[in-house]
Amino acid sequence: VGITAGCSVVEPWAALVIGIIAGWLYIIWSYLLEKLKIDDAVDAIPVHFGNGMWGCIATGLFASPGLVEQAYGTPNYGWFYNWGMGNGTGKLLAIEIIGVLFIIGWVGLIMIPYFCILNLLGIFRVDEIEELVGLDVAHHNGSAYDLNYDPGKDAQYLEKTRRSL
C-alpha cells in the first residue's frame, strides 16, 4: 500500500526506499494498536491507514520530474528533487499532506456518527461468546486457520452457551 499512491511517478530505487520505510511503519502501527488495545484482527489500520498516509507523503518526497512530466504533464515533483535542484519548493509535498488531512477529516466525519449509531443499536460488536470462539466458527461453522481443527467442539459450545442464556 505504501507504493500505491506514487507507483507511476517514482523511480525503482525510490520505490525500494518507500517499501522499506512502509515495512517499518507497519510494525510501529501494529505495535501501537496492541498498546492502545484496538482490535484489528487483520491489521487493516497499519496497512491501509498508516502506509496509505506514508505513500501519499512519499509521493510528495520522491516523485521524479521525468515521470511526473510523462504521466501528468506538470512540473510538480518531489521535494527531494526540488531540493537537489536548489529551489527547495515543497508544493507537491504540501498538496499530499493536505490531501491526507482531508481524507482523515472526511472519513472521520462520515464514519464516527455511523459507528456511534451502530453502537447505540447494540450491533457495533459481536457478543462475548462469538468473540471467544471466533467469528469463523460462530458464523461459518469452522475454523479458517487450523486444518486439523474439529469445528464441532466450538460450534457445540457456542450453541449450548446460547441456549443457556
Side-chain angles (χ1 to χ4, degrees):
V1 172
I3 190 58
T4 305
C7 65
S8 66
V9 294
V10 299
E11 300 289 344
W13 69 266
L16 180 65
V17 171
I18 292 167
I20 290 169
I21 294 171
W24 283 105
L25 287 174
Y26 165 78
I27 293 168
I28 292 166
W29 275 95
S30 188
Y31 177 78
L32 180 64
L33 287 182
E34 284 184 35
K35 286 297 175 194
L36 295 174
K37 297 185 181 193
I38 297 174
D39 185 17
D40 183 5
V42 295
D43 268 352
I45 294 170
V47 171
H48 296 283
F49 180 65
N51 281 327
M53 284 191 305
W54 163 241
C56 290
I57 292 167
T59 301
L61 294 171
F62 293 102
S64 166
L67 294 174
V68 171
E69 183 67 36
Q70 182 181 356
Y72 301 107
T74 65
N76 298 319
Y77 38 89
W79 183 76
F80 290 138
Y81 287 98
N82 280 321
W83 181 63
M85 295 175 182
N87 66 12
T89 181
K91 184 176 179 181
L92 182 59
L93 178 60
I95 290 168
E96 295 293 340
I97 291 171
I98 290 168
V100 166
L101 294 174
F102 179 82
I103 292 167
I104 292 169
W106 178 261
V107 171
L109 185 69
I110 298 298
M111 296 312 295
I112 289 172
Y114 178 70
F115 289 150
C116 289
I117 291 168
L118 290 177
N119 196 33
L120 284 172
L121 295 173
I123 56 176
F124 187 61
R125 294 190 60 108
V126 297
D127 63 39
E128 289 181 31
I129 299 165
E130 289 180 334
E131 203 170 304
L132 180 64
V133 298
L135 289 178
D136 48 350
V137 172
H139 289 266
H140 305 290
N141 202 24
S143 176
Y145 305 104
D146 185 0
L147 298 178
N148 298 318
Y149 175 73
D150 177 15
K153 181 181 169 192
D154 280 338
Q156 288 169 359
Y157 169 77
L158 178 66
E159 288 302 317
K160 184 168 44 169
T161 309
R162 279 192 176 153
R163 277 189 243 124
S164 69
L165 294 176

